[in-house]
Amino acid sequence: MSGEFAAFAILSLTAISGGILMLNVTKVIHMLVSLVLTFLSIAGLYILLTAEFIAVVQILIYSGAVTIIMLFGIMLTRKTDEEETAPGRLKKWLVFAGIAVFAVVMYIGIYNLDLTGEPAALHENNTEQIGIALFTGHIIPFELTSVLLLAALIGAIVLAKKEEEEEKQ
């Protein structure tokens, strides 16, 4: 077993465990911590793929900024952190069945995957390659994403303003 394979196994199991843990804990702060664990593990997987730029962006944006925004959102809402009742057996079995079906579908998809093709030069100027691909071939989806995010921001402001006005009345 090589060191690279061991690192991949540890990071992928950590990412999967963080995702499963996030779905199964009841406190919102614990969910957030397990989400950070998953994000950091995915950044480690990017480093194994020699995509250092994407790994740093993953850590800065997802593990840092998005997590802080979620934390502020949790703290600013008025929802109390109450213990929920334990889920019933039916819910647990349905969750297990869903995970099992997802695992089988992923296994079949990966098993039937055809990876033949011309290898790309991945280790040379990663950031430059991302910039060229993003601003030449994918400029329309990039700009549409920015418009969509702007619309979501305006919608959030309008909804927050409505709630604020309803509270005053």
Side-chain angles (χ1 to χ4, degrees):
M1 176 190 300
S2 70
E4 188 175 60
F5 180 75
F8 172 76
I10 291 169
L11 287 170
S12 60
L13 287 174
T14 305
I16 292 169
S17 300
I20 291 173
L21 188 65
M22 188 188 77
L23 294 174
N24 289 320
V25 295
T26 55
K27 294 188 181 273
V28 180
I29 299 297
H30 295 165
M31 290 178 188
L32 196 62
V33 170
S34 59
L35 185 65
V36 169
L37 178 70
T38 303
F39 285 155
L40 292 175
S41 301
I42 291 172
L45 290 172
Y46 283 139
I47 289 174
L48 286 178
L49 291 171
T50 65
E52 294 85 8
F53 176 74
I54 304 227
V56 170
V57 168
Q58 172 81 15
I59 290 171
L60 287 176
I61 293 177
Y62 287 108
S63 299
V66 170
T67 306
I68 295 298
I69 289 172
M70 288 178 166
L71 189 61
F72 280 136
I74 291 167
M75 292 177 143
L76 293 174
T77 57
R78 286 183 223 147
K79 182 182 181 308
T80 58
D81 200 13
E82 299 171 357
E83 289 290 328
E84 295 181 11
T85 59
R89 285 182 169 243
L90 178 64
K91 183 179 178 184
K92 286 184 180 180
W93 280 106
L94 286 175
V95 168
F96 177 75
I99 291 171
V101 167
F102 178 74
V104 168
V105 168
M106 292 303 293
Y107 176 77
I108 291 170
I110 292 171
Y111 186 77
N112 294 330
L113 186 64
D114 184 25
L115 293 176
T116 58
E118 195 172 309
L122 297 176
H123 305 291
E124 304 162 359
N125 300 328
N126 287 339
T127 310
E128 183 181 353
Q129 288 180 3
I130 291 170
I132 290 171
L134 188 62
F135 292 115
T136 56
H138 304 301
I139 189 70
I140 302 293
F142 180 76
E143 291 299 327
L144 288 176
T145 303
S146 66
V147 170
L148 179 68
L149 289 173
L150 179 65
L153 178 66
I154 292 170
I157 291 170
V158 167
L159 289 174
K161 195 162 183 96
K162 277 185 183 178
E163 288 178 5
E164 191 176 290
E165 289 173 358
E166 288 175 1
E167 289 176 3
K168 289 180 181 179
Q169 293 178 357

